Amino acid sequence: MGASLPPKEANLFKLIVKSYETKQYKKGLKAADTILKKFPDHGETLSMKGLTLNCLDRKAEAYELVRLGLKNDLKSHVCWHVYGLLYRSDREYREAIKCYRNALRIDPDNIEILRDLSLLQAQMRDLTGFVETRQQLLTLKPNHRMNWIGFAVAHHLNSNASKAIDILEAYEGTLEDDYPPDNERIEHSEMLLYKISILEECGYFQKAIEELNKKELKIVDKLSYKEQEVALLVKLNRPEDAEKLYRVLLFMNPDNYRYYEGLQRCLGLYTDDCKYSSNEIEQLQALYKSLAQEYTWSSAVKRIPLDFLHGEQFYKEADNYIRPLLTKGVPSLFSDLSPLYEQPGKADILERSILDLEQSVRQTGGFPGRLDKEPPPTLMWTLFLLAQHYDRRGQYEVALEKIDEAIAHTPTVIDLYSAKSRILKHAGDLAAAAALADEARCMDLADRYINSECVKRMLQADQVALAEKIAVLFTKDGDQHNNLHDMQCMWYELASGESYFRQGDLGRALKKFLAVEKHYADITEDQFDFHSYCLRKMTLRTYVEMLKFQDRLHSHAYFRKAASGAIRCYIKLFDSPSKSGTEEDEEMAKLLPSQKKKMRQKQRKAEARAKKEAESKSEESNAGNASKSGKRHAKAVDPDPNGEKLLQVEEPLTEATKYLKLLQKNSFDSLETHLLSFEVYMRKQKILLALQALKHLLRLDAESPGTHRCLIRFFSKVSSMPAPTTDAEILVSKVLEAERQNISQLQDGTLSDVNSLFLKKHEDSLMHRAAAAEMLYLLEPDKKSEALSLIEDSPNNIVSTNGALGPVKEWRLRDCIAVQKLLKEVFIDEEAASRWKVRCAEYFPYSTYFEGSRSSAVISTTPYNSTDNGIGSPEQVLQSTSSITMNGKLEKFNDLQI
């Protein structure tokens, strides 16, 4: 390194390297310039100067200098290493690996290059290469602990766990008996627990528990020790010993649900579906009764019995569980009870229990069977719980009565307004829900959660500009929109993307969806720094879990929503292309050649001017952001804030396919993935790929309305295809014919017969009837009136419940909205859509979409029906975003800096 230089310049070269490592970039540049005055063609100095400039965000100069340095000294490992570091900083990992390999050809034993290469191989999951590199590092420095551990981890990740165990045991053999010293006890403890977890993964349970007991004194994390021991005891089929240990763990933390589940498993009293025999229920009751006496302060020991009890026993235990929480005023009580609504009959019993409590508190001031009076807020919290209960059951009118009564009782509780906002959202009045959420927000301007909930309601009501104004109250100074993006606020971007999509603004919708996709790419990149950190700090179990999490990162719900939204945007863009393509070309074609030339010159000048203004703004905003080292933290100005360039793609379906492949890889068992696959491949005329998507749909849910639509559409398309002529077409035809024989739904006759049978099987379901009607219209367009009657004659049956207050109908608002859109967009029948709207307005009186009689879309002259909330008319709710006057003069907050 710098060997070809005289001693003075060689020392300066070392100073450049040291300055780079200590981030003193200006000092390094000065030293590099001094060397280059005498030796302008010195390759290593040129490369190091380029690397330093890269840290100052002068990338173009950096690449130019590094390439020049490499050209001047192709046999220098320093030049190749620096070139690799440059690529690595730009996340071009594959190119960086090539550069590192070239450097290693020149200097095979360079530890720094080998270490950097191993990090990139771990990042790119080149596990075979990772093993080889870690082995080479261990060979070069066998006295370094990190090299032993890195070699073991490499084999573990490469699915060779037994070899990893051998390496860790060999490493332990090099240690002295009194190892570790006090300052390394935690790291050594983590290594031992990691080794035991690998033994468990390999199935060596007996060896693992023997090793665990042998090294007990050296393991610092006693909780992890006990949890690992009890897991091994269960796998060794030693339930008595495991039971004792679970009881020890419960003594340490009696609110850990996993410990209770483990204890039940040891006693043979656990099932995943909570279905037990009467004898098992008696044993469980006795168990939890004894545990409740031992851990009187634990809430888990009182809550778990509600999962397995039934009938009057459930009523009694639920009543005992709810009473103290109502007295305390716990707002999250309904969230705690909500899983019980999935079990048949328990919602009715809960309703009876809460109504009995309400009646007793109203009449006597206390709970049934007790002489003590309850504090006044108990009635309010009981009404709050009842309102949420009726909201869950779809009885929105009763829910609103209860929550209004609670607000009248105590108008200063923020949770009541938030709950009423949720009820109105479920009932379909999104504008009023947003207004209530804003009411709650204004009661506590320092609460970030309530602020976020208000923003979410506004986005659901398509008040995007107003929502952004509220959201940025909790962001840093500067470019507020970029702050939300930098904070990776994905729920906000998804909600605003969906809102833009509903409003038909595909550019902005795509912008938001693709921003979420970029966050996931950033999260993937963020793991890079942990490859060395975790080996150094010995957090090995967490490190392996993190890598496994990263491998399934794109299966997360937020990514699935963002990718699905982007695909829907591209499909819509394909179905109705934007004007920017064909129509503008036609307008240009009408102009004279001289006019065309002038028009293009104007466009180029306008683009250049806009770019220059954006760059000048960026420079001004970052003028004071230079660090002491000279590095500037510049933020790139978004050249396309409205997503207009995203709409100018030539092949929208090709873009959609990129995200579709990610969904197919990471969300393979999602019905939506294959529905989108079918839509994309049908439009691309990829018949066999569409058939593949259809087969996956039939595998996942053959009775789904979406699957039925795809089935009929596909084979209707196949039957209308011209006779095959080429060899490829004949082969495709044979495949389709063979696959058709394997689809059981098509064995009942023609497609019309299949559709009729589907309708007969699901005649009481609105969405199934709508799907059957749509397919009838597709197959036989002359039967449009019959298809419409199938939808309009759908019965809205009453759900069989034992509810005390009013019936509950089957239909859901979102399903009725989907049918309304079907009547407008597919059947193109305004009269039928109007009749459907009138009918649904009766079922959903609070829905603004159907203009129900009690919605804010109809009540425009009088205040909203809860005057004690101070909610104004919809004109006030939907006022312009420049002046937010609700519940206070919020114009003063426009320039507020938090």
Side-chain angles (χ1 to χ4, degrees):
M1 188 167 68
S4 59
L5 294 170
K8 182 180 177 182
E9 281 73 21
N11 288 332
L12 280 173
F13 187 84
K14 290 177 183 176
L15 179 63
I16 298 171
V17 176
K18 187 177 179 182
S19 299
Y20 169 74
E21 290 171 349
T22 56
K23 299 184 179 180
Q24 296 177 318
Y25 303 124
K26 288 186 177 179
K27 190 175 180 182
L29 279 178
K30 188 176 179 182
D33 290 336
T34 304
I35 295 172
L36 292 172
K37 283 178 183 176
K38 289 187 178 180
F39 304 96
D41 295 330
H42 189 249
E44 293 181 359
T45 306
L46 287 167
S47 296
M48 283 305 301
K49 182 180 179 182
L51 187 61
T52 306
L53 288 173
N54 181 61
C55 296
L56 296 173
D57 291 334
R58 292 159 66 179
K59 289 190 178 294
E61 294 176 65
Y63 272 100
E64 186 179 345
L65 282 171
V66 171
R67 284 170 182 151
L68 180 60
L70 186 61
K71 181 181 177 182
N72 291 342
D73 196 352
L74 271 173
K75 292 186 178 181
S76 167
H77 70 275
V78 173
C79 293
W80 282 109
H81 189 190
V82 167
Y83 202 18
L85 290 173
L86 206 60
Y87 273 125
R88 193 184 80 177
S89 70
D90 286 339
R91 299 178 177 179
E92 296 284 348
Y93 295 136
R94 297 194 186 281
E95 294 299 322
I97 288 174
K98 291 177 185 176
C99 293
Y100 289 157
R101 289 197 183 281
N102 285 331
L104 288 171
R105 288 193 186 100
I106 300 163
D107 188 1
D109 297 334
N110 189 301
I111 289 175
E112 287 185 5
I113 300 173
L114 284 168
R115 188 172 60 243
D116 287 346
L117 176 61
S118 72
L119 299 180
L120 288 181
Q121 287 168 331
Q123 177 78 7
M124 300 302 294
R125 301 298 190 270
D126 176 12
L127 299 178
T128 305
F130 185 41
V131 169
E132 293 172 359
T133 307
R134 293 309 314 189
Q135 183 174 11
Q136 198 171 349
L137 279 166
L138 179 59
T139 306
L140 291 170
K141 290 194 78 173
N143 59 342
H144 200 322
R145 179 188 68 186
M146 188 173 167
N147 291 338
W148 284 94
I149 303 303
F151 190 34
V153 170
H155 275 291
H156 183 203
L157 295 175
N158 199 31
S159 304
N160 193 354
S162 57
K163 183 69 174 176
I165 295 168
D166 294 340
I167 294 164
L168 291 172
E169 287 178 346
Y171 167 66
E172 286 185 86
T174 65
L175 304 176
E176 298 177 0
D177 294 337
D178 60 347
Y179 189 86
D182 288 343
N183 63 338
E184 294 183 17
R185 286 189 66 204
I186 294 174
E187 288 84 352
H188 187 66
S189 168
E190 281 296 318
M191 188 273 288
L192 294 173
L193 286 169
Y194 174 63
K195 176 187 168 185
I196 291 160
S197 70
I198 300 177
L199 285 168
E200 181 187 8
E201 187 180 314
C202 292
Y204 305 145
F205 304 132
Q206 186 61 41
K207 185 178 177 182
I209 201 163
E210 289 171 1
E211 183 75 11
L212 189 68
N213 294 330
K214 182 180 174 183
K215 301 291 174 62
E216 179 179 2
L217 295 176
K218 293 188 176 182
I219 294 175
V220 179
D221 188 349
K222 297 303 179 185
L223 179 62
S224 294
Y225 174 88
K226 286 182 170 60
E227 289 180 339
Q228 184 71 67
E229 185 180 11
V230 78
L232 290 168
L233 287 171
V234 170
K235 290 178 179 178
L236 285 168
N237 198 21
R238 291 164 57 183
E240 296 84 3
D241 297 334
E243 179 194 344
K244 292 176 185 176
L245 199 48
Y246 268 123
R247 290 184 183 275
V248 172
L249 287 167
L250 280 172
F251 181 77
M252 296 170 68
N253 183 3
D255 280 315
N256 191 316
Y257 279 70
R258 289 190 298 110
Y259 298 161
Y260 289 103
E261 180 186 323
L263 181 60
Q264 285 183 223
R265 288 183 186 277
C266 293
L267 296 170
L269 297 173
Y270 184 81
T271 60
D272 293 325
D273 56 1
C274 292
K275 293 181 179 178
Y276 301 95
S277 65
S278 56
N279 184 41
E280 288 173 334
I281 289 175
E282 288 178 8
Q283 293 180 54
L284 284 168
Q285 270 188 290
L287 171 66
Y288 280 97
K289 187 176 180 181
S290 65
L291 290 171
Q293 291 171 353
E294 189 174 354
Y295 309 116
T296 53
W297 64 91
S298 170
S299 62
V301 77
K302 299 168 188 171
R303 169 64 182 81
I304 292 172
L306 301 183
D307 291 329
F308 59 78
L309 291 175
H310 298 280
E312 288 304 314
Q313 290 179 329
F314 173 76
Y315 176 89
K316 181 182 176 183
E317 291 298 326
D319 191 65
N320 291 335
Y321 182 72
I322 291 171
R323 286 186 184 196
L325 298 179
L326 288 177
T327 303
K328 286 181 181 178
V330 178
S332 61
L333 175 57
F334 181 76
S335 299
D336 189 14
L337 298 173
S338 60
L340 299 172
Y341 284 71
E342 303 297 331
Q343 299 183 32
K346 289 194 174 180
D348 296 330
I349 298 173
L350 282 173
E351 181 175 322
R352 181 158 59 92
S353 171
I354 303 167
L355 285 173
D356 289 345
L357 294 174
E358 181 203 15
Q359 184 180 3
S360 177
V361 172
R362 283 183 189 280
Q363 294 176 353
T364 66
F367 289 135
R370 289 182 59 182
L371 297 176
D372 297 339
K373 300 292 183 183
E374 290 295 315
T378 302
L379 177 59
M380 182 268 293
W381 290 114
T382 307
L383 292 168
F384 177 62
L385 180 60
L386 269 175
Q388 293 174 93
H389 164 80
Y390 286 119
D391 177 39
R392 172 67 181 260
R393 307 201 82 178
Q395 295 172 272
Y396 304 121
E397 190 169 347
V398 184
L400 285 168
E401 287 176 7
K402 296 296 181 184
I403 200 68
D404 281 341
E405 188 178 349
I407 291 171
H409 184 282
T410 312
T412 55
V413 178
I414 299 174
D415 297 281
L416 301 179
Y417 297 90
S418 297
K420 185 169 182 180
S421 172
R422 282 192 294 274
I423 295 167
L424 286 168
K425 182 199 77 167
H426 298 151
D429 198 338
L430 300 177
L436 258 299
D438 192 56
E439 181 84 359
R441 180 189 69 82
C442 291
M443 293 173 74
D444 187 357
L445 294 171
D447 193 316
R448 184 171 183 161
Y449 171 77
I450 298 173
N451 189 83
S452 298
E453 195 172 57
C454 174
V455 171
K456 192 174 181 181
R457 295 286 173 266
M458 288 175 173
L459 291 173
Q460 288 164 349
D462 294 337
Q463 302 170 9
V464 183
L466 181 57
E468 188 170 342
K469 254 184 177 298
I470 301 299
V472 298
L473 292 174
F474 280 86
T475 60
K476 295 178 182 178
D477 298 337
D479 188 346
Q480 309 288 11
H481 180 76
N482 278 346
N483 275 322
L484 287 169
H485 178 78
D486 294 341
M487 291 163 66
Q488 295 186 343
C489 191
M490 287 186 268
W491 67 264
Y492 171 80
E493 288 169 328
L494 284 171
S496 55
E498 291 290 349
S499 177
Y500 282 130
F501 183 79
R502 285 191 298 270
Q503 296 175 64
D505 191 343
L506 296 183
R508 283 191 172 97
L510 262 176
K511 189 82 176 174
K512 295 296 183 183
F513 291 136
L514 298 187
V516 176
E517 189 272 336
K518 186 181 183 303
H519 294 326
Y520 278 85
D522 291 340
I523 292 169
T524 302
E525 299 298 337
D526 288 342
Q527 68 178 301
F528 183 84
D529 294 330
F530 291 95
H531 297 308
S532 58
Y533 173 84
C534 292
L535 293 180
R536 190 172 68 253
K537 293 294 185 180
M538 299 291 282
T539 55
L540 305 175
R541 292 175 298 155
T542 310
Y543 174 59
V544 172
E545 286 177 14
M546 185 269 291
L547 293 181
K548 291 177 180 177
F549 165 75
Q550 288 283 355
D551 290 339
R552 62 176 187 275
L553 177 67
H554 289 86
S555 63
H556 192 271
Y558 276 3
F559 178 80
R560 190 164 62 245
K561 289 178 183 177
S564 301
I567 293 167
R568 284 186 280 117
C569 287
Y570 283 123
I571 289 174
K572 197 166 184 180
L573 189 59
F574 175 81
D575 293 341
S576 52
S578 61
K579 182 183 174 182
S580 58
T582 55
E583 292 183 22
E584 287 185 4
D585 289 343
E586 289 176 5
E587 289 175 5
M588 286 287 285
K590 295 175 184 177
L591 300 175
L592 296 172
S594 58
Q595 292 174 322
K596 285 183 190 177
K597 188 175 180 181
K598 287 181 181 178
M599 182 70 73
R600 289 196 183 99
Q601 285 177 347
K602 284 183 180 179
Q603 288 175 350
R604 280 195 292 269
K605 285 181 181 178
E607 287 174 5
R609 195 182 306 115
K611 187 177 179 182
K612 190 174 180 181
E613 288 175 2
E615 287 175 355
S616 63
K617 284 181 182 178
S618 176
E619 288 175 6
E620 288 171 11
S621 63
N622 293 289
N625 290 342
S627 65
K628 291 180 181 179
S629 60
K631 183 174 179 179
R632 300 171 65 85
H633 303 282
K635 280 187 182 178
V637 175
D638 188 354
D640 185 27
N642 298 328
E644 292 169 0
K645 291 182 180 177
L646 294 173
L647 298 179
Q648 295 171 10
V649 290
E650 294 181 1
E651 298 181 358
L653 295 182
T654 303
E655 295 296 318
T657 306
K658 294 178 186 176
Y659 302 103
L660 189 59
K661 287 179 179 177
L662 285 171
L663 285 180
Q664 289 170 334
K665 180 181 177 182
N666 298 285
S667 300
F668 188 71
D669 289 330
S670 168
L671 200 70
E672 185 181 20
T673 296
H674 301 296
L675 286 170
L676 291 170
S677 300
F678 181 83
E679 295 295 340
V680 170
Y681 291 136
M682 285 292 281
R683 284 166 173 77
K684 293 181 77 173
Q685 304 296 320
K686 304 281 187 182
I687 296 298
L688 291 182
L689 289 174
L691 174 63
Q692 184 185 57
L694 175 59
K695 289 181 69 178
H696 288 311
L697 289 170
L698 291 168
R699 173 182 60 85
L700 291 169
D701 188 358
E703 300 302 321
S704 163
T707 302
H708 178 70
R709 283 190 180 94
C710 293
L711 178 69
I712 301 297
R713 280 175 56 199
F714 180 79
F715 284 100
S716 174
K717 168 82 173 174
V718 168
S719 62
S720 64
M721 288 169 61
T725 54
T726 64
D727 292 341
E729 290 175 351
I730 292 169
L731 184 60
V732 168
S733 179
K734 287 180 179 178
V735 171
L736 293 173
E737 191 59 37
E739 289 293 338
R740 180 167 185 153
Q741 304 302 320
N742 297 328
I743 298 175
S744 59
Q745 287 84 348
L746 299 177
Q747 308 305 316
D748 301 311
T750 64
L751 292 178
S752 296
D753 296 334
V754 172
N755 194 45
S756 300
L757 185 64
F758 179 81
L759 174 63
K760 187 177 179 182
K761 195 184 293 186
H762 304 285
E763 59 185 357
D764 290 333
S765 167
L766 173 63
M767 295 309 291
H768 287 81
R769 288 178 72 102
E774 183 182 351
M775 292 303 100
L776 176 62
Y777 182 51
L778 173 71
L779 295 171
E780 302 175 71
D782 56 328
K783 291 188 177 181
K784 179 179 177 180
S785 58
E786 184 180 339
L788 287 171
S789 65
L790 282 178
I791 296 175
E792 296 187 89
D793 294 343
S794 301
N796 189 6
N797 300 322
I798 295 174
V799 178
S800 57
T801 62
N802 297 320
L805 295 174
V808 181
K809 298 284 188 177
E810 276 187 345
W811 288 4
R812 292 290 172 261
L813 178 60
R814 65 166 176 252
D815 294 340
C816 293
I817 291 173
V819 172
Q820 173 80 353
K821 291 178 180 177
L822 179 71
L823 293 171
K824 281 186 174 181
E825 297 168 8
V826 177
F827 288 94
I828 314 177
D829 192 315
E830 289 296 330
E831 290 183 7
S834 178
R835 291 194 300 270
W836 182 258
K837 182 177 180 180
V838 171
R839 184 181 179 187
C840 290
E842 295 177 8
Y843 293 134
F844 305 101
Y846 292 95
S847 168
T848 50
Y849 187 88
F850 292 115
E851 297 182 2
S853 58
R854 299 187 182 183
S855 71
S856 58
V858 173
I859 309 172
S860 57
T861 55
T862 58
Y864 191 69
N865 72 342
S866 178
T867 54
D868 50 336
N869 290 345
I871 303 301
S873 66
E875 285 82 1
Q876 291 173 318
V877 174
L878 299 171
Q879 61 188 303
S880 86
T881 60
S882 61
S883 176
I884 312 171
T885 60
M886 185 168 302
N887 212 350
K889 296 181 179 179
L890 298 187
E891 297 94 335
K892 293 182 180 180
F893 289 98
N894 288 348
D895 299 321
L896 179 65
Q897 294 184 349
I898 298 177

